[in-house]
Structure formats: structure tokens, C-alpha cells
Amino acid sequence: MTVVVPCFNEESVLRETHARLVRALRAGRGVTYEVLYVDDGSTDDTWSLIREFAAGSEHVRAARLSRNFGHQAACLAGLRDATGDAVVLIDADLQDPPELIPDLVSRWREGWSVVSARRTERKGEGALKRATAFAYYRLLNSMSDHPVALDTGDFRLLDRSVVDLLGELGGQELFLRGTISWAGLPETAVPYRRDPRAAGTSKYTLRKMLELSRCGIISGSALPIRATAAAGLVSAAAATVVGLARRDFGTTRWAYSLGVQTLAIGVLGEYVNATLRHAQDRPPFVVGERIQRSRTASAPQPTIAAGVAR
Ligand code: UDP
Ligand code: MG
């Protein structure tokens, strides 16, 4: 198993994180593990700490991104580098308790491809952050064809089949949670209490939060552009009907022309959307399970294989 830890300027907390991670992973008997730190362009002592951990343990690997690419990109870098048959994504600031990892692993062993950690409580996060997160995820789910589970973040375990799928896809407009729910593989959740950050301050600035929110909507929903086209169509049609009824198009001309222009933007948006879907490079389907028959006469039993195929 690989535990991927994206880190951006986490020098104040990383020592404690490493100690708790190692303790929790050692406690999970029978699991061979590696911890893969991804330094997302830190400008503090994060990388020297990671080097120190790697020098002291053969279980530690690390990658340092050339600059700050953002949390989702750092997670993807970790997923592409991970070698484990399951991968856990966990924040570096101890808001996600490492002690939950053995629980995630035992659900995975029951056969779940994705085991999310679901927050039952969020301590130490401001009312504004909680309220905007609450509203945003409900808005996103009402728009998206593949809703993401509420009250879950990126703290989750992914089976190798999911990791391979995510690693192969286009890495732009990245919103891992959305892609995971799009894949539609068996997903379950383990509840936990989200602690406050152990030290330091949030590395998710308002700009990064807005960027993530934008990616969530753009990568998972065509509704904004469809709504634009529909509004244009309705406006142009209504202006035509009213004009015909009054036998006078003078007063409705502006509504008609605005409607046609809006519709044209919506149509253009459909083409842009098709290009985006192409760039996302998602496979047309994901195989969840297969029943295969052995070709040798001596072993006529069907074998059931779970996994993802392109
Ligand atoms: N992070 C990152 N790159 C960034 C911002 C954050 O790798 O540009 C990491 C950060 O070090 C932490 C995780 O992403 O491990 C979550 O960030 P943070 O705890 O600051 O976000 P919050 O919990 O406040 O939303
Ligand atoms: Mg945090």
C-alpha cells in the first residue's frame, strides 16, 4: 500500500505527521506500506524534512514538484508514482487522522474499490468555510451527472484499478473526486471526526478554493452552457410569439436579438464542451467486474475479476 501525502509549506507539522503516520501504518499488521511525500513546490524546510525521513526509513519515497502546482496536481503526481496495490490520499496537516487508515484498509479488503473517509464533524474550521462548502457541494451535485459523496474530501483509499484509471486520464481541469465518482466503481465510506489543523495555516487560499470549485463544475457538468443555450432559445421564441401576436416586432426586437446571440453562445459552448470532453480522455466505459472462463479443460470454473479496463 502507498500513502500519498501532498505537502505545501508544511514544515511546522510534518514531523508530527510522519511520526503518527508511521505509528498507524506499523499498527496495521500484515500491510506492507510505503509513504510517498509529494512536495508541491514548498519554499520552507518541508523538503529537507522529507529528505531526512527518507534517509531514516526505507519505507519513505518522495517527489518534489518544480514549483507549486496545487493540491490536486500534487495528488495526481503521487498517484502516478505510487506502486502499492491500494493508495491512500491524506493531507499533511493531520486534519485527516492517520489512525483511520487501518479501517480504510479493512473495508478495501472486503472488496470495495474506493473507501472514502466521511466527516461527521469538522472542528476548527470557520463557519464561512463550512457554509460555502455545504452550499457548493449541493450545487455541484444538483448540476453534475455523477454526484460526489457529501462530506467527503480527498482523504480516501483507492484500489489499484482506480489509481491506474486516474493516472491515465488527462490531467487538466483536475477534480479527482469528480473523476472517481464518474468511474462508478463500488464505493463505501468510513465516518470520522475531522480535527483542526495540527499546526500552521491553511494552504488553500481563496484563489485556490475558487479554482478547485471552478474545476469541479467545468469537469463534471455541461449544465451551465446548456442553460445558456436554453435561455437564449426561450427568449428568442418568446419574442417571436409576442411579436406575432401583436403583429409588431418593434418592441420585442431587442429580446429576439439578445436571445439569438445567447443561443449562439450556447451552441458555441457545445463545441467547446465536446473539445473539453475529448481532452479529458475518459474511456467510453469502465469494466467493474468480469466473468471469464479458463481455456484449459481441466479448470472449467469461471473466474470473476474486478477491475478497470479501457
Ligand atoms: N497543498 C498542496 N498544494 C497546495 C495547497 C495545499 O499540496 O497548493 C496540501 C497541503 O500541504 C495539505 C493539503 O494539500 O497537505 C490540504 O491543504 P490545507 O490543509 O492547507 O487545506 P484546508 O484543509 O485548509 O482546506
Ligand atoms: Mg487542512
Side-chain angles (χ1 to χ4, degrees), residues 75-251:
C75 287
L76 185 64
L79 290 173
R80 286 190 176 165
D81 227 9
T83 56
D85 43 8
V87 178
V88 173
L89 294 174
I90 189 167
D91 284 357
D93 62 353
L94 292 174
Q95 284 200 279
D96 307 333
E99 295 73 20
L100 199 72
I101 294 176
D103 290 350
L104 303 180
V105 171
S106 57
R107 299 311 299 271
W108 167 62
R109 288 202 166 132
E110 287 169 14
W112 298 97
S113 302
V114 179
V115 188
S116 311
R118 187 169 45 79
R119 319 180 255 250
T120 54
E121 225 180 285
R122 299 174 79 149
K123 285 188 184 167
E125 284 182 321
L128 183 69
K129 182 156 188 166
R130 282 199 306 233
T132 48
F134 181 88
Y136 172 72
Y137 285 107
R138 274 150 189 88
L139 174 75
L140 181 68
N141 279 352
S142 67
M143 292 166 69
S144 173
D145 294 338
H146 311 286
V148 298
L150 293 173
D151 302 318
T152 59
D154 286 311
F155 182 25
R156 49 184 71 199
L157 179 148
L158 307 171
D159 180 67
R160 167 54 49 193
S161 55
V162 184
V163 175
D164 286 345
L165 180 70
L166 290 174
E168 279 177 35
L169 298 181
Q172 302 303 318
E173 302 297 327
L174 211 53
F175 187 66
L176 291 170
R177 269 166 271 176
T179 313
I180 291 168
S181 70
W182 162 83
L185 290 162
E187 179 169 348
T188 188
V190 173
Y192 80 110
R193 262 190 22 238
R194 189 156 169 88
D195 292 325
R197 188 175 241 286
T201 52
S202 173
K203 305 302 175 300
Y204 251 101
T205 55
L206 181 64
R207 195 173 65 80
K208 284 179 179 168
M209 288 295 283
L210 290 173
E211 176 61 10
L212 182 68
S213 316
R214 190 190 64 78
C215 284
I217 291 175
I218 297 292
S219 68
S221 174
L223 199 70
I225 204 67
R226 302 251 154 94
T228 305
L233 191 63
V234 168
S235 171
T240 307
V241 170
V242 172
L244 280 173
R246 288 187 186 164
R247 294 169 190 277
D248 171 19
F249 288 94
T251 50

Side-chain angles (χ1 to χ4, degrees), residues 5-18:
V5 194
C7 313
F8 178 53
N9 291 343
E10 298 289 8
E11 63 176 11
S12 56
V13 72
L14 214 53
R15 217 175 265 289
E16 192 185 340
T17 304
H18 186 64

